């Protein structure tokens, strides 16, 4: 193991957590239908379900809450948030939303027409759902390495430029309103996109009058990887890299619950005034006034503060390197994980971990349940359950069948990562004892959130 940066903060408040017994956890996961999303928080020891809205806020952010201006329109905090987005990301227009999927809904309704195609560097669950609900078809244009668990590529989130150009030739540029580029790519393992690739995607898009819209949820993590791994950026600040990244987009959706370091909130940002006017009309219907978008004034103030904090190098270095620490511990013990290790989570390769289970036996879902029973650590499935079904009702079978160990920002210590690693390693050494699962309840959309399962005997 190498050296990892110490926490760039000191602890000012604590929240007590308790370890339950294995028998308690067996009963809890059974009651939850073997779905970690349905567990009660009180039954969880270390919660790695998601990094969305689970970050610890700084003292300055907590202070920000106390100056919330809860006016229905024209809140002072809204202007602070607008200023932060313009300064840090560089977009001219901002529409606040209650969280990222609110922004996805606005973008999809405004830009997608029935029969359109939306290329992207691998699907994300809620993004794809909004695109399809508005009549679009998602088309995966990520490089092939993005679907390979151990491909040696520093930027596995890159758009395959030839796939993108082939799609334009096949369906016509007029049927592609925008390309959705995720920075980083969650489902590929938190993999980044290079600056060179972003620049070339923009060039192709401009030639064909196609807009470039980012899923910018973890864009600061992407900027960190560019600084570490792309030639010519080692001496640039995170803020400088981030601003250049955004210059190659026409807008973005943002879940403030990730890189903006808050527990709720998001926004849709863009450079085009006409698009902004359409968004403000819809945000009133779904979210609230264009100056609060479903958020309290205090939450907008905390998000503005978090945006500025997020580009601090010491913060983002510790954040990403803590993820690397957990991933390296598992890798050194022989546990199959997605490599390179990404910026927000360690993804266990459930196919390789549980080769005795077919994808129809839901190995990632089974492994997530087993990790919880073993140690009280809550993780989540990212495989066939998350991928959903096609129009004929058959499962989508993604090449990557993973369990995501997602690290909240500024919440856990390296000692907590040791507990997680020990549990996963123990299960790997006894992996043949893990049984598959089958559905007993399945909703039609975004089934991974609320489906229920039972063991296959």
């Amino acid at each position: 193991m190498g050296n990892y940066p110490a926490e760039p903060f000191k602890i000012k408040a604590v929240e007590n957590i308790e370890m339950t017994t294995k028998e308690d956890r067996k009963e809890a996961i059974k009651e939850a239908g073997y779905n970690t999303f349905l567990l009660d928080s009180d039954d969880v020891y270390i919660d790695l379900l998601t990094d969305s809205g689970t970050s610890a806020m700084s003292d300055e952010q907590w202070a920000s809450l106390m100056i919330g201006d809860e006016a229905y329109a024209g809140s002072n905090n809204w202007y602070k948030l607008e200023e932060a987005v313009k300064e840090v990301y560089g977009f001219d227009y901002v529409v606040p939303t209650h969280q990222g999927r609110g922004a996805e809904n606005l973008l999809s309704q405004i830009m997608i027409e029935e029969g359109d195609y939306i290329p992207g560097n691998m699907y994300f669950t809620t993004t794809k759902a909004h695109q399809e609900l508005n009549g679009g078809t998602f088309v995966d244009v990520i490089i092939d390495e993005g679907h390979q668990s151990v491909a040696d590529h520093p930027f596995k989130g890159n758009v395959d430029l030839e796939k993108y150009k082939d799609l334009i030739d096949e369906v016509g540029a007029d049927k592609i309103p925008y390309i959705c580029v995720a920075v980083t790519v969650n489902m590929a393992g938190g993999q980044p996109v290079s600056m060179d690739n972003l620049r070339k995607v923009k060039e192709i898009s401009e030639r064909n009058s196609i807009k470039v819209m980012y899923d910018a949820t973890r864009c600061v993590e992407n900027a960190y990887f560019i600084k570490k791994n792309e030639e010519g950026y080692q001496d640039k600040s995170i803020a400088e890299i981030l601003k250049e990244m955004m210059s190659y987009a026409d807008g973005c959706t943002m879940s403030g619950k990730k890189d903006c370091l808050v527990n709720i909130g998001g926004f849709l940002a863009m450079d085009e005034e006409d698009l902004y006017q359409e968004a403000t009309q819809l945000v009133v219907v779904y979210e609230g006034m264009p100056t609060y978008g479903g958020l309290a004034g205090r939450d907008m103030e905390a998000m503005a503060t978090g945006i500025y904090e997020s580009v601090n190098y010491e913060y983002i270095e510790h954040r990403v390197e803590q993820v690397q620490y957990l991933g390296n511990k598992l890798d050194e013990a022989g546990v199959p994980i997605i490599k390179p290790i990404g910026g927000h989570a360690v993804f266990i390769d459930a196919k390789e971990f549980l080769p005795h289970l077919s994808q129809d036996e839901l190995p990632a879902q089974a492994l997530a349940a087993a990790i919880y029973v073993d140690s009280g650590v809550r993780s989540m499935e990212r495989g066939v359950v998350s991928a959903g079904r096609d129009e004929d009702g058959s499962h989508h079978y993604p090449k990557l069948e993973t369990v995501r160990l997602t690290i909240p920002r500024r919440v856990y210590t390296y000692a907590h990562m040791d507990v997680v690693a020990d549990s996963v390693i123990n299960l790997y050494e006894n992996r043949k004892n893990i049984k598959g699962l089958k559905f007993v309840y399945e909703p039609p959309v975004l089934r991974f959130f609320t489906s229920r399962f039972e063991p296959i005997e």
Side-chain angles (χ1 to χ4, degrees):
M1 295 287 288
N3 294 321
Y4 298 87
E7 287 79 2
F9 51 81
K10 60 183 179 180
I11 297 168
K12 185 176 277 189
V14 296
E15 176 186 348
N16 292 328
I17 55 175
E18 295 183 9
M19 172 68 87
T20 56
T21 68
K22 183 168 285 191
E23 289 306 311
D24 287 338
R25 295 193 295 274
K26 285 181 179 178
E27 186 62 29
I29 197 68
K30 182 179 179 181
E31 288 293 316
Y34 297 87
N35 185 344
T36 53
F37 275 95
L38 301 181
L39 288 166
D40 290 338
S41 175
D42 286 347
D43 293 326
V44 174
Y45 180 51
I46 297 175
D47 201 342
L48 306 186
L49 182 73
T50 181
D51 61 335
S52 179
T54 57
S55 300
M57 293 202 302
S58 70
D59 54 351
E60 291 193 6
Q61 286 180 292
W62 281 105
S64 296
L65 297 181
M66 299 307 296
I67 56 173
D69 173 10
E70 306 306 340
Y72 188 78
S75 164
N76 293 330
N77 312 119
W78 151 245
Y79 295 111
K80 178 72 173 292
L81 175 60
E82 182 185 43
E83 178 184 2
V85 173
K86 288 182 177 181
E87 183 177 340
V88 176
Y89 302 107
F91 295 112
D92 292 331
Y93 301 101
V94 188
V95 181
T97 59
H98 76 285
Q99 62 181 58
R101 69 193 61 169
E104 291 172 348
N105 176 45
L106 296 181
L107 178 65
S108 298
Q109 289 214 37
I110 291 166
M111 296 196 68
I112 297 175
E113 296 182 359
E114 188 75 33
D116 281 347
Y117 295 85
I118 317 299
N121 52 342
M122 196 173 286
Y123 84 99
F124 184 66
T125 50
T126 59
T127 311
K128 182 171 179 282
H130 282 299
Q131 292 167 353
E132 292 176 344
L133 288 170
N134 284 281
T137 299
F138 168 79
V139 181
D140 190 354
V141 292
I142 199 172
I143 59 174
D144 290 342
E145 289 89 339
H147 291 283
Q148 299 166 9
S149 62
V150 293
D152 185 17
H153 193 300
F155 293 101
K156 287 170 69 173
N158 279 358
V159 172
D160 186 314
L161 303 177
E162 294 306 313
K163 289 181 184 177
Y164 183 29
K165 289 188 283 189
D166 287 347
L167 178 66
I168 295 171
D169 291 340
E170 178 184 348
V171 305
D174 60 326
K175 300 299 291 181
I176 304 175
Y178 65 93
I179 179 172
C180 181
V181 183
V183 285
T184 59
V185 183
N186 188 346
M187 303 296 281
Q191 303 297 330
V193 184
S194 72
M195 192 75 81
D196 179 66
N197 189 251
L198 294 173
R199 189 180 301 113
K200 289 175 178 175
V201 168
K202 178 63 172 174
E203 291 170 356
I204 294 170
S205 302
E206 282 193 333
R207 287 199 302 269
N208 290 276
S209 299
I210 297 170
K211 292 194 180 301
V212 178
M213 305 299 290
Y214 290 168
D215 175 349
T217 292
R218 298 181 180 89
C219 56
V220 180
E221 293 169 16
N222 201 101
Y224 177 80
F225 282 117
I226 288 174
K227 181 176 177 68
K228 297 289 284 188
N229 297 324
E230 189 162 0
E231 185 177 354
Y233 289 92
Q234 283 73 25
D235 295 329
K236 290 185 178 293
S237 70
I238 296 296
E240 289 171 326
I241 295 169
L242 185 60
K243 185 68 75 71
E244 183 179 345
M245 283 172 54
M246 295 299 166
S247 73
Y248 302 127
D250 297 291
C252 75
T253 59
M254 170 62 82
S255 171
K257 298 165 68 176
K258 285 84 165 178
D259 269 355
C260 298
L261 299 171
V262 286
N263 307 126
I264 198 69
F267 58 81
L268 173 63
M270 70 284 287
D271 285 328
E272 185 179 311
E273 185 176 6
D274 289 346
L275 194 64
Y276 169 72
Q277 293 296 344
E278 290 186 64
T280 57
Q281 294 168 29
L282 276 183
V283 78
V284 174
V285 176
Y286 291 104
E287 305 277 336
M289 284 288 290
T291 54
Y292 77 89
L295 293 172
R298 55 185 176 271
D299 291 319
M300 290 190 286
E301 186 75 22
M303 182 155 58
T305 303
I307 287 172
Y308 290 116
E309 291 181 356
S310 72
V311 294
N312 176 277
Y313 180 76
E314 285 72 25
Y315 149 71
I316 190 60
E317 179 192 35
H318 172 265
R319 190 279 185 284
V320 175
E321 293 303 316
Q322 188 180 52
V323 177
Q324 305 290 306
Y325 174 83
L326 174 58
N328 287 333
K329 285 206 73 167
L330 296 179
D331 187 40
E332 290 171 8
V335 177
I337 62 172
I338 303 301
K339 294 190 287 189
I341 301 162
H344 72 291
V346 177
F347 287 69
I348 303 170
D349 186 337
K351 282 184 182 178
E352 294 296 319
F353 197 109
L354 302 174
H356 60 286
L357 299 183
S358 71
Q359 270 191 289
D360 285 320
E361 294 172 299
L362 315 180
Q365 192 73 43
L367 180 54
I371 292 170
Y372 170 72
V373 171
D374 184 71
S375 60
V377 173
R378 175 157 64 170
S379 58
M380 72 171 294
E381 183 268 2
R382 277 297 185 224
V384 66
V385 177
S386 291
R389 297 183 183 271
D390 61 22
E391 293 179 353
D392 298 325
S394 300
H395 290 306
H396 288 294
Y397 292 99
K399 293 181 180 178
L400 296 179
E401 178 80 16
T402 66
V403 170
R404 192 180 77 178
L405 302 167
T406 329
I407 315 303
R409 296 159 181 81
R410 306 188 293 201
V411 172
Y412 293 115
T413 68
Y414 289 112
H416 289 107
M417 298 301 101
D418 290 338
V419 172
V420 176
D422 290 345
S423 174
V424 174
I425 292 166
N426 173 62
L427 285 171
Y428 187 60
E429 292 170 350
N430 298 278
R431 56 194 177 276
K432 291 184 179 179
N433 296 328
I434 299 175
K435 298 179 180 180
L437 296 173
K438 61 183 179 181
F439 282 94
V440 294
Y441 166 72
E442 177 185 352
V445 180
L446 298 174
R447 63 184 184 174
F448 63 94
F449 283 124
T450 57
S451 286
R452 301 182 73 87
F453 311 89
E454 66 182 15
I456 298 172
E457 298 298 338

